[in-house]
Amino acid sequence: MSSSNAASHKPAISTDSIVVQTAVIVTYGAFGSLSLLGVERMWGFNHIMFLPMGAWTAYLLGGMLLMWLLWGRLPDGRIDSCIKAIGGWTFEGPKWHRGLLSVLAVCVFAVARVPIHLLGDGYTCLATFGQGEAYIHKWAEPGSIWLIRQIQASLGGYTPETAYIAFAGMSVMSGGVFVWSVLALIGELTKDAGLRLLALSSVLLGGSALLFMGYVEFYAPVWAASAVFILAAIRYLNGKVGIWLVVLALVLSVLMHVEAVVFLPALGYLLMAKVRSSTVKRVTVAAACLTMIAGVATFVWLYQNRIEFEVLILPILQSRPEYPGYTFFSMLHVTDLLNEIALVVPNGLVLIAALRRTSIRRRWNRMGRFLLIASVGSLSFFMLFAAATTMGRDWDVMALSLLCPVLLVFQRLRVHCIGIAPRFLLANVLVLGLVSGAFFTVAHCPTCTEARFRTLLTEYNWNGWIILSTHYEQTGQHDQAIAILREMERRVPDRRTLLNAYAALDSGQVSEAADLADGLLRKDSYNPHFMQLEANVLRKQKRFDEAELYYLRALKVKPYHAPLMNELAQLYIDKRELNGAEQWATKAHTLEPEKTFITETLALVYIKMQDYTEATALADSLFLDDPHSAGAHLIKMTVALNRGDYDSAGAHYRAYLLYGKGRSDYERIREHYKGLSE
């Protein structure tokens, strides 16, 4: 038999190859069958169910190609030579090769920008950073926010258009940095060409690549910075860079998003990894143990005593009212974890099958220990963070937790010298392309994304309904926006009760509103909307101190809710605590200056403080946006009355009567100041 014929024959199938091939087939079948069955709960698998029938044709043809790759007659020798050549060019060639691939990746990400921003908090981000100088400066991502504002400033202003360009640009460029770092990182992890390409495809062809396709959120920069940190850490262990570069990379990662603090234990390991003195090592280990004990104690105390911390952590045994049955050990949580893994690492089962002979008790070098500790920190966040309850929408914040575990798998494969057959590598890439391609296609198809997003909505996910309604409104689909709100009222009975309570409160039926508020709080004492309602009822009943406690408690759960801050400011006006009123009204106005009722509250505070210049300036700002602003006329009228200028007050009163029809305070103002019309 000639060598060419021998090369084209199928290789002998070992037990290991059967296990790996089975994992590939099961992966392909799981994504296809769950999509075919239309299982909405399996949001990490069911992408194809939202696509046209042509996608099914492509998926079935891909399955036929997969069978041929696994069991057909292929020139394995030639394919292996090509893989080695590609791996050599990519990883062993000059550094400009890596730079060129990173630039090409940036071009691909830029061309493949997502046109719709339903996943994550994209619309909220655009609204927040597109309203001028004011914006929400969240403590969790100061570095990313700074980058956004710098890009917007360089573009000439803080408008919705510059906000989108800034977010999309930051996303795409972060993708370039991430690809460059991953190429270098994989080159450090293993020297085997097949393993390198398998690792590269597993990391870059997962669902997380969507974060770099103009994705409007803050998570792309922390992926890029974290990849740089991991690369610097491994090069430090290999003696190529100093520890200062590792520390700098971690600081940058934390600035991009506080989620990166999960790498702190891994940094601690790096600091002691090269220590040779046994005494120093013992002291360091003792200090680390004490730090861990103190950290656990602090965690427990915060969880038991601070509601703002408690709501960030998934309940362990007893679920909260807002998500009944959802706990750390519940099947709901386990299912969502599997969905997230399938979305970010679609070939996870294949990697586990390839790793199945690895013993965790053998050959743990310093690189493996570092990745293991980093993985433990990442997976702790992955399993404990309360965003898991809405993981289908908030998949982006959880995705980074899986990067280190994937890298650890390839580090262990390297240790045990697991070879990668050429046909298996091609089959793996094909499955990744089919599955992640379906996810990316859904994300780029507005109608498909809308259909998928609707399956993620539940009666407990209020924000999701509002986001979808806002999306329809902004895209000119007004009927759809109204329909979503009506469906929300039908499927979310507590929201309907909330609206009824406010209607009763506005009509003076305080006792009825109080009964409804108490009933809602008994159902869910963690819901900030219910706390806000209770506070409003107590304020009507002149129980100001109790109302203040509920307002402050609600703000701990929703710390950036400007209308809530505005109501707290009004409470302080009622209590004649003008300094507190000014503080909260200013915060609310800084966050949402476009809301007239917030500007009016701040102006009222200044009037109470007899600072008529500031109050008048606020009224003038309202006139700039609307020359017939009823709120501005009301402020000017009040200022004129306090100055004794009754002619001016009367003129503004009459203007208010003309332009203020439809306002909730219209009848009260008309009746109270009717003497000004004489």
Side-chain angles (χ1 to χ4, degrees), residues 534-552:
E534 181 73 11
N536 287 333
V537 170
L538 292 169
R539 181 179 160 213
K540 281 282 188 180
Q541 295 173 337
K542 307 298 183 183
R543 297 159 62 182
F544 296 143
D545 291 341
E546 295 174 73
E548 180 183 2
L549 292 176
Y550 274 102
Y551 280 131
L552 293 174

Side-chain angles (χ1 to χ4, degrees), residues 548 551-552 555 563-572 584:
E548 180 183 2
Y551 280 131
L552 293 174
L555 279 167
L564 186 54
M565 296 177 183
N566 184 70
E567 290 177 1
L568 179 57
Q570 292 174 349
L571 172 70
Y572 284 128
W584 287 104

